[in-house]
Amino acid sequence: MRAAIITAPGTTEIIEIPQPSIGPNDALVKIRACGICGSDSLYIAIGGLPPRQGSMPIGHEAAGEVIAVGDNVSDIAVGDRVVVNPMAVPDDIIGNGGSTGALADYLLIKDVVRGRSLEVIPNHIPYEVAALNEPMAVAQHAVNQVAPQQSDQVVIFGAGPIGLGAAIALKARGVKHVVVVDILQDRLEKALKVGADAVINSAAEDLPARLIELHGPGDSMWPDRAGTNIFLDAAGVPAVIDTTLGLAQRGAKLGVVAVHKEPVSLDLMNVMSNELTIVGSMGYPNEIFEVTRDVVDNWEKYQVIISHTFDFADLDEALRCVSTPGAADKVVITFD
């Protein structure tokens, strides 16, 4: 079978490797679609993670079809369409330094347990949409971390896949008003399509003035604060933190789900005097299949997040697309 392997810093090759054999407690999944994550680009740049640098399987946003099950497996059947939890085995994480990756023709799920290792989805869900399950679990966890109320007014910075997924999750909970901020107009148009109440192009508009117009003036000892209850950073640039702290009213929350590659300074006097809450969000401790029902119920809305699909044979082209700033939103690899 074919598998994408990081063979050196900056180099990923499609290599022929043996197709895995299943044991009595395992399932074999024919991969039909696999998304490319920002972490994949990082792993490629550094040549993989120890101890697999120079020979690391890649890919963890997988959807596929079960083609074989072990004799002891009773709740998974051949022909089931499934989404995969790459974190099910903490010491052998799929596509994140583990022994297997989902950018491959087949993926062996050892000691398979439905609801922990994988989950079955209906046949009408396109595989490329199902492959969004893993990143949407990241977005779902970020929303869970900030614990929104229906009366809240929320701002999301960054209309990439995680930001858009968070917008869908917030509106699914009935949150009163969700604004999405970005500098790319086509991404903002997608935000409106998935249900955001308003968008702000921070490169073309006066962001503080526009936000105060949308959410009203905030309660603060400092002037020019917005009546926003929750700010969610899905962009990962220091300007977002600075802007948020400059706009946050008393009691507001700032959730950080984006990766910041450099330290960011904070005005702790502002944090203290306005009694702000800053909360981080990493991965999906419990959300990997919590989000599946919503992806199934609203798959056409989630499909908007996908900007490009490439055949597995065109992986190099797909990776170039992902690494070009502003060229793509979500890129998904499909398999015959």
Side-chain angles (χ1 to χ4, degrees):
M1 73 174 196
R2 302 170 299 168
I5 308 291
I6 300 171
T7 56
T11 302
T12 304
E13 300 180 57
I14 296 178
I15 295 174
E16 291 286 337
I17 64 172
Q19 180 175 318
S21 300
I22 67 167
N25 301 311
D26 306 336
L28 186 64
V29 175
K30 172 72 176 78
I31 299 298
R32 298 295 187 182
C34 183
I36 297 179
C37 177
S39 63
D40 294 330
S41 299
L42 172 62
Y43 300 155
I44 292 168
I46 63 176
L49 296 174
R52 303 184 193 279
Q53 286 180 302
S55 183
M56 178 180 143
I58 197 170
H60 59 273
E61 300 180 0
E65 178 187 357
V66 176
I67 62 166
V69 294
D71 292 340
N72 296 338
V73 178
S74 59
D75 53 355
I76 302 293
V78 170
D80 282 345
R81 297 162 73 104
V82 295
V83 291
V84 175
N85 177 11
M87 307 283 286
V89 181
D91 60 352
D92 194 16
I93 300 174
I94 295 168
N96 288 265
S99 60
T100 61
L103 275 171
D105 288 318
Y106 302 97
L107 180 65
L108 180 66
I109 309 296
K110 297 180 181 179
D111 298 320
V112 63
V113 177
R114 180 172 177 176
R116 186 183 72 190
S117 312
L118 49 72
E119 188 53 89
V120 178
I121 58 170
N123 289 344
H124 70 277
I125 306 301
Y127 281 116
E128 61 268 25
V129 177
L132 296 175
N133 190 87
E134 195 271 354
M136 293 305 97
V138 174
Q140 183 88 342
H141 181 57
V143 170
N144 287 345
Q145 285 291 89
V146 296
Q149 304 297 312
Q150 289 189 343
S151 59
D152 282 339
Q153 301 186 111
V154 181
V155 174
I156 300 168
F157 289 93
I162 302 303
L164 294 176
I168 296 172
L170 286 162
K171 294 308 296 183
R173 294 186 186 203
V175 170
K176 176 182 177 182
H177 199 270
V178 176
V179 177
V180 177
V181 179
D182 206 296
I183 61 173
L184 298 176
Q185 193 59 37
D186 60 339
R187 287 189 170 187
L188 294 174
E189 291 169 5
K190 285 190 173 189
L192 292 172
K193 288 180 180 179
V194 302
D197 297 289
V199 297
I200 300 174
N201 187 326
S202 56
E205 301 178 70
D206 184 332
L207 172 57
R210 178 70 174 135
L211 190 57
I212 292 171
E213 176 187 339
L214 289 166
H215 285 175
D219 171 25
S220 174
M221 63 181 292
W222 306 103
D224 301 323
R225 300 290 169 135
T228 305
N229 307 105
I230 296 172
F231 300 82
L232 183 61
D233 173 19
V237 294
V240 167
I241 306 301
D242 294 339
T243 298
T244 295
L245 295 182
L247 285 169
Q249 67 171 334
R250 191 185 314 278
K253 294 179 185 177
L254 166 60
V256 181
V257 64
V259 175
H260 284 263
K261 298 180 181 179
E262 299 292 338
V264 178
S265 61
L266 299 177
D267 179 358
L268 292 180
M269 178 62 76
N270 183 12
V271 173
M272 179 186 69
S273 61
N274 279 304
E275 298 187 336
L276 306 179
T277 299
I278 301 175
V279 59
S281 178
M282 173 65 76
Y284 37 87
N286 302 299
E287 291 84 358
I288 184 64
F289 300 130
E290 174 187 319
V291 76
T292 306
R293 180 181 297 276
D294 196 61
V295 172
V296 168
D297 290 345
N298 298 289
W299 69 266
E300 291 171 306
K301 189 176 292 185
Y302 283 97
Q303 191 172 38
V304 172
I305 296 173
I306 301 169
S307 61
H308 296 76
T309 58
F310 292 87
D311 184 83
F312 188 36
D314 299 319
L315 179 62
D316 285 346
E317 185 181 354
L319 293 174
R320 284 193 294 272
C321 181
V322 169
S323 64
T324 303
D329 298 323
K330 190 62 187 179
V331 174
V332 178
I333 302 297
T334 58
F335 295 73
D336 294 333

